[in-house]
Amino acid sequence: MISVKGLTKKFGSLEVLKGIDAEISKGDVICVIGPSGSGKSTFLRCLNLLEKPDGGTIIFEGDDLTSKNIDLNVHRRKMGMVFQQFNLFPHMTVLRNLTCAPVMLKKADKETAEAKAMDLLSRIGLAEKANVFPDKLSGGQKQRVAICRALCMEPDVMLFDEPTSALDPEMVGEVLDVMKALAGEGMTMVVVTHEMGFAREVSNRVLFLDEGVIMEEGTPDEIFGAPKCERLQSFLAKVL
Amino acid sequence: MQEWIAKLNETFIESGYYKFMLEGLGNTVIITLGALLIGVIIGTLIAVVKYFAEDSKIMKPLAALCDVYVTVIRGIPVVVLLLIFYFIILTSAEGILVAVITFGINSGAYMAELIRSGLGAVDKGQMEAGRSLGMSKMQAMRKIVLPQAIRYILPAIGNEMIALLKETSVAGYVAVVDLTRAGNLTRNNTHDAVNPLMVVAVTYLLIVVVLSRLLKILERRLSGNDKR
Ligand SMILES: Nc1ncnc2c1ncn2[C@@H]1O[C@H](COP(=O)(O)OP(=O)(O)OP(=O)(O)O)[C@@H](O)[C@H]1O
Ligand SMILES: [Mg+2]
């Protein structure tokens, strides 16, 4: 579904990604782990071109997103993104947060979008919050709404950038549960996370990113059970 | 006191000059509001161009052009601009139209900076969230960023309006009868040296005081219920 080849990215003279290759297939749940500053967010943000790569290609459903003559907006509609800081739209109600993009981009008419949104909200138990503004929600509720907002566009893949890092510990679980359910439904997901438990339990492949390259990659059992490279071993020793 | 009231009556009412003064006030209001509208439009356009120019190569030359505009306008006294527009550029237009356009163009240059900092005050993640859903830059600007920037921008526009109101008092240079000029002509023709200008001054003062109060209320509202 997504095929990344030789991806490089620099910020000024700082080389953050130094040639990343990754293959993401339909139904994959891929967790990206690694030390702070290793380029995990940058890698994820390159996937939907929120950061413009300096080199390499990103083939998404057959189209090279890095080529010039491509309508990124159309492709982004098929890639949902969930941010560490939620980034809900504070000037819109929860319901409008969900329906705003599908209606504006003519993916659905207002009634259909609202029905879909209410369905998503009731599945996470937040239907009664449909008409409140985001500032009235707890962090965990905000992040679950943010996930629904992305889902409302019916994306083919969901990108998560540390979705639970800004949450109070007691709210991490409710967000991870929604993500697990999503994975269970077969959604393709790329998740940057520090939640090793989630990576172990839910993902089918783990990428260890360090110093701008994927140092090691494998199934959760391989990565957590028998880490090969030394940097991964010392990283895991620190976080587990 | 009685004497003074009699004098006022003579200068403004009996002479019929009160109508003239009202007309002047009307023109001052028209110029201020018209210029404000043009200023907001120009200012928004420039602000949006400069906002996007930060990470778009295509916008860079346009942004450079905007910089030239802002520099030129800010470097020239508004009276001189007014004369240039009246005598050189818009020679066949009426004074009041020239005044609206000139003050609008002038105020646009100042407004651009105000609006830009308002846009800058909105968290970058908002634009990214919009883009990640597939909105174009303009769509995300219109629906996501601008509506949130308004609460930073509105108070600044209010201040600009107050400054603009007072600035328009030089409109008389291009044969517009605004409040100031109406007062001055009344002074000339009635041989009352004091009251016409006093009335003019007090009228400006009153409008400014009222506007400032409204602005205070607006500001309190905007910061009070944060998310509307
Ligand atoms: N817009 C930017 N401009 C300049 N440098 C940046 C920018 N974004 C990220 N960087 C730098 O790139 C490096 C990688 O950042 P990135 O956010 O991808 O790391 P990360 O692995 O997500 O870290 P964390 O776990 O802390 O989120 C860091 O050194 C960071 O300072
Ligand atoms: Mg990060």
Side-chain angles (χ1 to χ4, degrees), chain A residues 29-47:
Chain A
V29 176
I30 293 182
C31 280
V32 182
I33 61 171
S36 184
S38 57
K40 303 181 299 292
S41 298
T42 306
F43 167 64
L44 197 73
R45 292 157 57 79
C46 277
L47 290 182

mmCIF file of all heavy atoms in Angstrom, chain A residues 29-47:
data_model
loop_
_atom_site.group_PDB
_atom_site.id
_atom_site.type_symbol
_atom_site.label_atom_id
_atom_site.label_comp_id
_atom_site.label_asym_id
_atom_site.label_seq_id
_atom_site.Cartn_x
_atom_site.Cartn_y
_atom_site.Cartn_z
ATOM 1 N N VAL A 29 -0.229 -3.335 10.911
ATOM 2 C CA VAL A 29 -0.165 -2.377 12.007
ATOM 3 C C VAL A 29 1.302 -2.278 12.381
ATOM 4 O O VAL A 29 1.894 -3.202 12.922
ATOM 5 C CB VAL A 29 -0.995 -2.835 13.221
ATOM 6 C CG1 VAL A 29 -0.823 -1.850 14.374
ATOM 7 C CG2 VAL A 29 -2.459 -2.952 12.837
ATOM 8 N N ILE A 30 1.892 -1.154 11.991
ATOM 9 C CA ILE A 30 3.327 -1.004 12.152
ATOM 10 C C ILE A 30 3.624 0.010 13.236
ATOM 11 O O ILE A 30 3.093 1.123 13.212
ATOM 12 C CB ILE A 30 3.959 -0.568 10.815
ATOM 13 C CG1 ILE A 30 3.801 -1.722 9.821
ATOM 14 C CG2 ILE A 30 5.413 -0.170 11.002
ATOM 15 C CD1 ILE A 30 4.400 -1.471 8.490
ATOM 16 N N CYS A 31 4.426 -0.391 14.196
ATOM 17 C CA CYS A 31 4.822 0.554 15.219
ATOM 18 C C CYS A 31 6.236 1.029 14.952
ATOM 19 O O CYS A 31 7.117 0.236 14.586
ATOM 20 C CB CYS A 31 4.748 -0.078 16.607
ATOM 21 S SG CYS A 31 3.062 -0.109 17.244
ATOM 22 N N VAL A 32 6.443 2.315 15.107
ATOM 23 C CA VAL A 32 7.769 2.893 14.929
ATOM 24 C C VAL A 32 8.253 3.335 16.300
ATOM 25 O O VAL A 32 7.596 4.134 16.962
ATOM 26 C CB VAL A 32 7.723 4.100 13.974
ATOM 27 C CG1 VAL A 32 9.120 4.661 13.763
ATOM 28 C CG2 VAL A 32 7.083 3.708 12.645
ATOM 29 N N ILE A 33 9.370 2.754 16.721
ATOM 30 C CA ILE A 33 9.916 3.124 18.028
ATOM 31 C C ILE A 33 11.329 3.660 17.827
ATOM 32 O O ILE A 33 11.931 3.489 16.754
ATOM 33 C CB ILE A 33 9.940 1.928 19.001
ATOM 34 C CG1 ILE A 33 10.825 0.804 18.445
ATOM 35 C CG2 ILE A 33 8.526 1.405 19.251
ATOM 36 C CD1 ILE A 33 11.062 -0.328 19.450
ATOM 37 N N GLY A 34 11.841 4.297 18.867
ATOM 38 C CA GLY A 34 13.199 4.828 18.782
ATOM 39 C C GLY A 34 13.365 5.966 19.750
ATOM 40 O O GLY A 34 12.390 6.505 20.260
ATOM 41 N N PRO A 35 14.638 6.341 20.008
ATOM 42 C CA PRO A 35 14.894 7.408 20.971
ATOM 43 C C PRO A 35 14.340 8.756 20.502
ATOM 44 O O PRO A 35 14.063 8.941 19.314
ATOM 45 C CB PRO A 35 16.426 7.456 21.072
ATOM 46 C CG PRO A 35 16.962 6.478 20.108
ATOM 47 C CD PRO A 35 15.855 5.768 19.432
ATOM 48 N N SER A 36 14.202 9.657 21.432
ATOM 49 C CA SER A 36 13.726 10.996 21.121
ATOM 50 C C SER A 36 14.696 11.693 20.167
ATOM 51 O O SER A 36 15.905 11.605 20.316
ATOM 52 C CB SER A 36 13.611 11.802 22.420
ATOM 53 O OG SER A 36 13.073 13.054 22.153
ATOM 54 N N GLY A 37 14.136 12.334 19.156
ATOM 55 C CA GLY A 37 14.975 13.056 18.201
ATOM 56 C C GLY A 37 15.538 12.184 17.095
ATOM 57 O O GLY A 37 16.318 12.643 16.262
ATOM 58 N N SER A 38 15.127 10.914 17.055
ATOM 59 C CA SER A 38 15.690 10.015 16.057
ATOM 60 C C SER A 38 15.035 10.199 14.685
ATOM 61 O O SER A 38 15.501 9.656 13.694
ATOM 62 C CB SER A 38 15.537 8.560 16.514
ATOM 63 O OG SER A 38 14.171 8.276 16.749
ATOM 64 N N GLY A 39 13.947 10.961 14.622
ATOM 65 C CA GLY A 39 13.308 11.220 13.328
ATOM 66 C C GLY A 39 11.996 10.485 13.108
ATOM 67 O O GLY A 39 11.501 10.422 11.986
ATOM 68 N N LYS A 40 11.418 9.941 14.170
ATOM 69 C CA LYS A 40 10.176 9.179 14.016
ATOM 70 C C LYS A 40 9.043 10.055 13.486
ATOM 71 O O LYS A 40 8.356 9.692 12.524
ATOM 72 C CB LYS A 40 9.751 8.574 15.369
ATOM 73 C CG LYS A 40 10.796 7.683 16.007
ATOM 74 C CD LYS A 40 10.309 7.097 17.321
ATOM 75 C CE LYS A 40 9.969 8.131 18.375
ATOM 76 N NZ LYS A 40 11.122 8.888 18.899
ATOM 77 N N SER A 41 8.866 11.201 14.136
ATOM 78 C CA SER A 41 7.793 12.096 13.682
ATOM 79 C C SER A 41 8.050 12.554 12.254
ATOM 80 O O SER A 41 7.135 12.600 11.425
ATOM 81 C CB SER A 41 7.699 13.324 14.585
ATOM 82 O OG SER A 41 7.382 12.944 15.887
ATOM 83 N N THR A 42 9.283 12.890 11.984
ATOM 84 C CA THR A 42 9.630 13.362 10.645
ATOM 85 C C THR A 42 9.302 12.298 9.604
ATOM 86 O O THR A 42 8.728 12.599 8.547
ATOM 87 C CB THR A 42 11.130 13.720 10.588
ATOM 88 O OG1 THR A 42 11.417 14.639 11.643
ATOM 89 C CG2 THR A 42 11.478 14.339 9.248
ATOM 90 N N PHE A 43 9.636 11.059 9.919
ATOM 91 C CA PHE A 43 9.332 9.961 9.007
ATOM 92 C C PHE A 43 7.826 9.869 8.753
ATOM 93 O O PHE A 43 7.360 9.827 7.619
ATOM 94 C CB PHE A 43 9.852 8.642 9.595
ATOM 95 C CG PHE A 43 9.331 7.401 8.912
ATOM 96 C CD1 PHE A 43 9.650 7.150 7.582
ATOM 97 C CD2 PHE A 43 8.521 6.502 9.590
ATOM 98 C CE1 PHE A 43 9.151 6.017 6.940
ATOM 99 C CE2 PHE A 43 8.024 5.370 8.963
ATOM 100 C CZ PHE A 43 8.342 5.126 7.636
ATOM 101 N N LEU A 44 7.053 9.912 9.829
ATOM 102 C CA LEU A 44 5.600 9.791 9.700
ATOM 103 C C LEU A 44 5.028 10.959 8.899
ATOM 104 O O LEU A 44 4.175 10.785 8.030
ATOM 105 C CB LEU A 44 4.964 9.756 11.102
ATOM 106 C CG LEU A 44 3.539 9.227 11.151
ATOM 107 C CD1 LEU A 44 3.537 7.716 10.943
ATOM 108 C CD2 LEU A 44 2.878 9.561 12.489
ATOM 109 N N ARG A 45 5.530 12.155 9.178
ATOM 110 C CA ARG A 45 5.023 13.349 8.514
ATOM 111 C C ARG A 45 5.450 13.405 7.050
ATOM 112 O O ARG A 45 4.794 14.069 6.238
ATOM 113 C CB ARG A 45 5.471 14.602 9.263
ATOM 114 C CG ARG A 45 4.805 14.739 10.641
ATOM 115 C CD ARG A 45 5.608 15.619 11.585
ATOM 116 N NE ARG A 45 5.827 16.936 11.024
ATOM 117 C CZ ARG A 45 4.914 17.902 11.031
ATOM 118 N NH1 ARG A 45 3.756 17.689 11.614
ATOM 119 N NH2 ARG A 45 5.152 19.063 10.483
ATOM 120 N N CYS A 46 6.514 12.704 6.730
ATOM 121 C CA CYS A 46 6.902 12.611 5.319
ATOM 122 C C CYS A 46 5.912 11.728 4.552
ATOM 123 O O CYS A 46 5.691 11.917 3.358
ATOM 124 C CB CYS A 46 8.312 12.040 5.181
ATOM 125 S SG CYS A 46 9.613 13.280 5.393
ATOM 126 N N LEU A 47 5.318 10.753 5.249
ATOM 127 C CA LEU A 47 4.433 9.813 4.564
ATOM 128 C C LEU A 47 3.244 10.526 3.931
ATOM 129 O O LEU A 47 2.787 10.145 2.848
ATOM 130 C CB LEU A 47 3.931 8.725 5.533
ATOM 131 C CG LEU A 47 4.974 7.717 6.009
ATOM 132 C CD1 LEU A 47 4.326 6.674 6.910
ATOM 133 C CD2 LEU A 47 5.662 7.033 4.830
#
